[in-house]
């Protein structure tokens, strides 16, 4: 398995533009997570899905952020409009559906580094 | 509010010596703890975990200690190797409340040859 695949790896955009980050989880994994890494807050959970259904989106910072999972092999995180404070590394992770989600090992993608000018 | 805290942003250790990375938490409902390691330009990878019913878990050179009364856990690496140089994240979850992983801010470990 190629692991969790994220694209793009790097994105530089101007304030006000729409940004779409993409993720392909590991086949057979039932959970998909979107995290954001910043120096001040570390890794913050934005949203997670179970079997393509959003379970908890309480970490989504504002209405400018939205996430979808139209099928088991694809998810997007969209920011519209983007702002400089959204600059961060965004990680997608997936985990198996067995056992507790909080105790399952997450497999992370390599991340998408977003810079909003 | 940061429920999982790693108060040392960085740590430097000589090769062959022990590295001790610390993590404190405030939520007494946390009952499962994990450590992840992250190299530059890569995603975090799982290292070791511990359930709240234990106070120690060992895997090769890595040992995690849990002190529930102090709401503190630590990761010991013995002996430290240059390849251990990375950012280490502590994470915790509570089955009774959402069961989602909450991460700390990370500690950057540098192992000097």
């Amino acid at each position: 398995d190629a692991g969790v695949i994220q694209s793009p790896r790097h994105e530089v955009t101007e304030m006000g533009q729409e940004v779409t980050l993409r993720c392909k989880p590991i086949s057979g994994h039932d959970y998909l997570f979107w995290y954001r890494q910043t120096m001040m807050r570390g890794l913050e959970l934005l949203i997670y899905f179970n079997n393509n259904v959003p379970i908890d989106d309480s970490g989504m910072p504002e209405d400018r952020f939205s996430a979808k999972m139209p099928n088991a092999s694809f998810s997007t995180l969209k920011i519209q409009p983007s702002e400089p404070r959204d600059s961060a590394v965004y990680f997608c992770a997936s985990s198996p559906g067995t056992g507790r989600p909080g105790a399952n090992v997450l497999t992370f993608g390599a991340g998408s580094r977003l810079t909003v000018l | 509010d940061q429920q999982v805290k790693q108060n040392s942003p960085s740590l430097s250790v000589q090769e062959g010596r022990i590295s001790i990375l610390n993590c404190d938490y405030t939520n007494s409902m946390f009952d499962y703890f994990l450590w992840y390691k992250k190299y530059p330009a890569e995603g975090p990878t799982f290292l070791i975990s511990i359930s709240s019913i234990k106070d120690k878990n060992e895997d090769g050179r890595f040992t995690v200690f849990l002190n529930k009364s102090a709401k503190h856990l630590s990761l010991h690496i013995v002996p430290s190797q240059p390849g251990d140089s990375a950012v280490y994240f502590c994470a915790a979850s509570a089955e009774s409340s959402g069961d989602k992983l909450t991460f700390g801010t990370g500690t950057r470990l540098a192992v000097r040859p």
Side-chain angles (χ1 to χ4, degrees):
Chain A
D1 197 323
V4 175
I5 308 297
Q6 290 187 246
S7 65
R9 291 295 311 275
H10 301 275
E11 174 90 5
V12 180
T13 191
E14 293 191 346
M15 182 174 64
Q17 296 298 305
E18 177 179 296
V19 173
T20 299
L21 308 178
R22 297 172 177 80
C23 176
K24 182 182 187 311
I26 290 175
S27 176
H29 279 188
D30 292 338
Y31 287 91
L32 183 139
F33 304 81
W34 282 100
Y35 280 88
R36 175 171 70 175
Q37 183 191 5
T38 61
M39 290 294 292
M40 291 301 296
R41 302 180 68 85
L43 281 164
E44 297 176 272
L45 177 64
L46 301 177
I47 184 171
Y48 79 92
F49 296 83
N50 181 21
N51 290 320
N52 314 338
V53 176
I55 302 301
D56 187 332
D57 66 354
S58 59
M60 297 286 261
E62 358 182 330
D63 292 345
R64 298 184 296 107
F65 286 70
S66 62
K68 293 182 180 179
M69 192 165 186
N71 57 61
S73 58
F74 184 66
S75 177
T76 59
L77 177 67
K78 186 174 292 188
I79 308 172
Q80 166 64 19
S82 57
E83 296 182 4
R85 61 191 166 124
D86 301 331
S87 298
V89 182
Y90 291 81
F91 287 101
C92 175
S94 67
S95 72
T98 54
R100 287 177 48 185
N104 283 335
V105 171
L106 301 184
T107 301
F108 283 83
S112 294
R113 179 176 294 278
L114 173 65
T115 303
V116 183
L117 303 174
Chain B
D1 100 65
Q2 198 76 22
Q3 295 187 63
V4 178
K5 301 177 184 179
Q6 294 177 258
N7 293 318
S8 298
S10 63
L11 174 68
S12 181
V13 171
Q14 191 76 38
E15 180 179 4
R17 306 295 289 268
I18 184 171
S19 294
I20 300 176
L21 296 99
N22 294 305
C23 178
D24 297 294
Y25 60 95
T26 58
N27 187 346
S28 59
M29 303 303 293
F30 284 147
D31 58 2
Y32 202 82
F33 305 87
L34 306 91
W35 285 92
Y36 282 77
K37 179 169 76 172
K38 183 185 178 306
Y39 291 119
E42 296 182 10
T45 55
F46 171 73
L47 190 57
I48 192 169
S49 63
I50 188 167
S51 164
S52 61
I53 62 173
K54 295 185 174 182
D55 54 20
K56 176 182 174 181
N57 188 26
E58 192 171 354
D59 183 1
R61 297 184 298 112
F62 302 91
T63 303
V64 56
F65 295 92
L66 175 62
N67 182 335
K68 290 186 287 295
S69 61
K71 295 192 182 69
H72 176 84
L73 66 158
S74 60
L75 174 68
H76 292 210
I77 307 173
V78 184
S80 302
Q81 300 174 352
D84 297 328
S85 297
V87 177
Y88 289 79
F89 289 97
C90 170
S93 64
E95 185 171 24
S96 60
S97 59
D99 210 17
K100 53 189 180 182
L101 271 186
T102 300
F103 282 83
T105 51
T107 296
R108 182 178 302 276
L109 173 66
V111 180
R112 306 185 305 275

